[in-house]
């Protein structure tokens, strides 16, 4: 199939250097994940969804999600909320934090979010959905994108009704994950809806859901006319899936796997602090070392170790050569010294909203 994943495209005025986008994933899309995604071919990366209420209340952990490293660009920061003025205020913070694109979440199916009138539940009230997108678009010069499900109920086609209206309201791009909110992650993504959406709007559409290989990426791009594909679960602990989609199907060596995991650990400690990182990282061990790369008892052993220093030692003992790969990676990956630090965010400027 003659589809060039390395082709650039534009989202609003922002140039995206490839047709591969790394999905926003709560509890996964930390800086280390996004920077790694960029290194392995993603043309655009996205933060996990950030609570507008959390931004309004200056919740420290929420503001932490707004940290952007110099080598992440282009980067979207995703927000979720249900109130236009709060969305507008959050948008200004997101722009000040250094995002290139503001993404609005109309896809989250989780009760905790939908019961507040945010996430996928917004799709059931298209007028309100449009008010939220207008409020965001009016608050910034940055392009605004919206990520949505097909609708709330199984079989819903709401996205086809709401999508064009969101574009009128100011969305410069739409991402569709064509499962219903009710489905959560069961069943499969029905990209025939993505193809329909593409015919209804004159902005780029990004196809999300079940993109796990180059073959799948190319067939979804060819059959839907989408501008790009988005990859989520397949890239968890597995940046090599992104490399394969971009056309280089080499399997990583044990040393490469361990070195990327070690870099991921170190960067995550820098971002979240040792204590939070310790728990956060546990799910990543299985993701990195699975897929037949390391025996199961080894992964199980890592989650029982008392500190990250022990985890590092154990990993290096299992693949001593990883030390050299890690050194090379550390040389290649710039220090995120240009990162806009939280202290530098003009929080007081927006105080009281
Ligand atoms: C653990 C997890 C967290 C997610 N968090 C978000 C999120 O914060 N915002 C969002 O728009 N989508 C979120 N998603 C949905 C993904 O972005 C993506 O649309 C979905 O997983 C389908 O793509 P995939 O089959 O490539 O994983 C999440 C998915 C997973 C698995």
């Amino acid at each position: 199939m003659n589809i060039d994943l390395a082709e650039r495209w534009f989202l609003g005025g922002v140039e995206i250097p490839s047709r591969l986008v790394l999905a926003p994933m709560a509890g996964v899309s930390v800086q280390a994940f996004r920077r790694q995604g960029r290194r392995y071919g993603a043309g655009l990366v996205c933060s996990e969804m950030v609570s507008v209420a959390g931004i309004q209340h200056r919740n420290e952990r929420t503001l932490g999600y707004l940290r952007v490293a110099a080598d992440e660009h282009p980067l979207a920061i995703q927000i979720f909320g249900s109130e236009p003025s709060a969305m507008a205020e959050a948008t200004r913070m997101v722009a000040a934090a250094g995002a290139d694109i503001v993404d609005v979440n109309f896809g989250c199916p989780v009760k905790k979010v939908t019961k507040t009138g945010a996430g996928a539940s917004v799709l059931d009230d298209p007028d309100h959905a449009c008010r939220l997108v207008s409020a965001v678009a009016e608050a910034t010069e940055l392009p605004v994108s919206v990520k949505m499900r097909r609708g709330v109920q199984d079989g819903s086609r709401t996205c086809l009704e709401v999508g064009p209206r969101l574009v009128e309201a100011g969305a410069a791009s739409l991402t569709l994950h064509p499962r219903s909110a009710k489905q959560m992650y069961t069943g499969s993504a029905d990209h025939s809806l993505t193809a329909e959406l593409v015919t209804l709007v004159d902005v780029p559409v990004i196809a999300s859901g079940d993109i796990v290989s180059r073959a799948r990426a190319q067939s979804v791009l060819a059959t839907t006319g989408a501008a790009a594909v988005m990859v989520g679960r397949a890239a968890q602990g597995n940046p090599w899936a992104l490399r394969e989609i971009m056309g280089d199907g080499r399997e990583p060596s044990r040393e490469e796997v361990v070195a990327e995991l070690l870099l991921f650990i170190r960067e995550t400690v820098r971002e979240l602090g040792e204590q939070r990182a310790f728990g956060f990282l546990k799910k990543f061990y299985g993701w990195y070392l699975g897929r037949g790369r390391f025996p199961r008892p080894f992964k199980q052993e890592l989650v029982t170790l008392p500190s990250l220093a022990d985890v590092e030692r154990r990993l290096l003992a299992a693949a001593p050569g990883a030390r050299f790969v890690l050194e090379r990676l550390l040389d290649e990956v710039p220090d995120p010294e240009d990162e806009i630090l939280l202290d530098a965010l003009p929080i007081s400027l927006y105080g009281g909203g």
Side-chain angles (χ1 to χ4, degrees):
M1 220 170 294
N2 196 18
I3 297 277
D4 184 8
L5 267 294
E7 203 182 336
R8 68 183 185 143
W9 57 288
F10 285 85
L11 195 165
V14 178
E15 180 176 338
I16 314 292
S18 78
R19 300 178 70 184
L20 177 60
V21 178
L22 191 62
M25 287 185 284
V28 177
S29 298
V30 288
Q31 258 186 25
F33 184 72
R34 303 184 316 241
R35 297 173 82 203
Q36 181 185 66
R38 293 284 289 120
R39 279 191 287 122
Y40 279 85
L44 175 64
V45 297
C46 187
S47 77
E48 70 176 77
M49 55 186 215
V50 184
S51 158
V52 158
I55 293 179
Q56 239 187 339
H57 296 120
R58 305 291 183 260
N59 178 298
E60 202 179 319
R61 194 175 272 204
T62 308
L63 294 177
Y65 295 131
L66 302 184
R67 291 171 67 166
V68 175
D71 57 349
E72 292 189 67
H73 299 284
L75 162 90
I77 291 184
Q78 186 185 71
I79 55 174
F80 70 98
S82 58
E83 217 269 302
S85 63
M87 294 288 274
E89 182 193 349
T91 299
R92 289 188 283 270
M93 289 283 283
V94 162
D100 303 291
I101 294 159
V102 184
D103 191 64
V104 178
N105 180 313
F106 289 165
C108 182
V110 176
K111 258 255 166 63
K112 201 171 124 197
V113 170
T114 55
K115 74 172 189 219
T116 67
S121 66
V122 181
L123 295 172
D124 273 345
D125 186 350
D127 290 339
H128 190 58
C130 290
R131 275 194 293 277
L132 294 178
V133 169
S134 301
V136 171
E138 279 164 22
T140 183
E141 300 277 297
L142 298 178
V144 174
S145 54
V146 178
K147 181 162 180 287
M148 58 183 174
R149 292 256 174 168
R150 64 183 294 163
V152 173
Q153 298 301 329
D154 288 351
S156 168
R157 294 168 59 82
T158 305
C159 59
L160 302 180
E161 178 208 335
V162 180
R165 293 192 53 192
L166 298 177
V167 173
E168 265 174 53
S173 169
L174 300 173
T175 301
L176 180 62
H177 176 202
R179 280 188 172 87
S180 70
K182 206 164 160 217
Q183 267 183 292
M184 305 289 284
Y185 296 94
T186 62
S188 55
D190 178 1
H191 283 295
S192 69
L193 276 151
T194 313
E196 284 192 67
L197 183 65
V198 168
T199 65
L200 297 174
V201 295
D202 58 2
V203 296
V205 171
I206 302 170
S208 169
D210 305 344
I211 311 290
V212 295
S213 65
R214 180 169 177 82
R216 183 80 187 125
Q218 290 192 320
S219 93
V220 167
L221 287 173
T223 55
T224 62
V229 285
M230 178 178 270
V231 176
R233 288 165 295 174
Q236 291 172 334
N238 192 23
W240 302 281
L242 303 176
R243 185 165 82 175
E244 191 274 331
I245 289 171
M246 291 308 292
D248 176 352
R250 273 177 302 154
E251 279 297 317
S253 65
R254 282 164 65 94
E255 286 71 25
E256 269 181 278
V257 171
V258 166
E260 282 292 349
L261 175 54
L262 288 172
L263 180 64
F264 194 86
I265 292 172
R266 288 188 187 183
E267 285 195 39
T268 305
V269 167
R270 187 181 51 74
E271 185 181 355
L272 304 182
E274 174 101 23
Q275 207 187 355
R276 237 177 105 196
F278 179 70
F280 174 88
L281 284 163
K282 286 189 174 175
K283 59 183 177 282
F284 284 88
Y285 304 148
W287 286 340
Y288 272 92
L289 307 174
R291 302 175 168 89
R293 288 170 185 156
F294 285 80
R296 187 181 287 265
F298 179 56
K299 292 178 278 177
Q300 286 162 344
E301 183 192 338
L302 287 186
V303 294
T304 64
L305 294 174
S307 75
L308 287 172
D310 292 300
V311 172
E312 275 216 17
R313 264 194 298 277
R314 189 67 192 82
L315 283 167
L316 281 170
R323 186 182 304 279
F324 307 108
V325 185
L326 178 63
E327 272 169 25
R328 184 170 52 71
L329 281 174
L330 288 168
D331 277 349
E332 278 169 20
V333 177
D335 227 19
E337 57 195 14
D338 294 341
E339 179 182 297
I340 299 180
L341 291 173
L342 267 188
D343 304 346
L345 273 177
I347 288 171
S348 57
L349 201 76
Y350 302 116

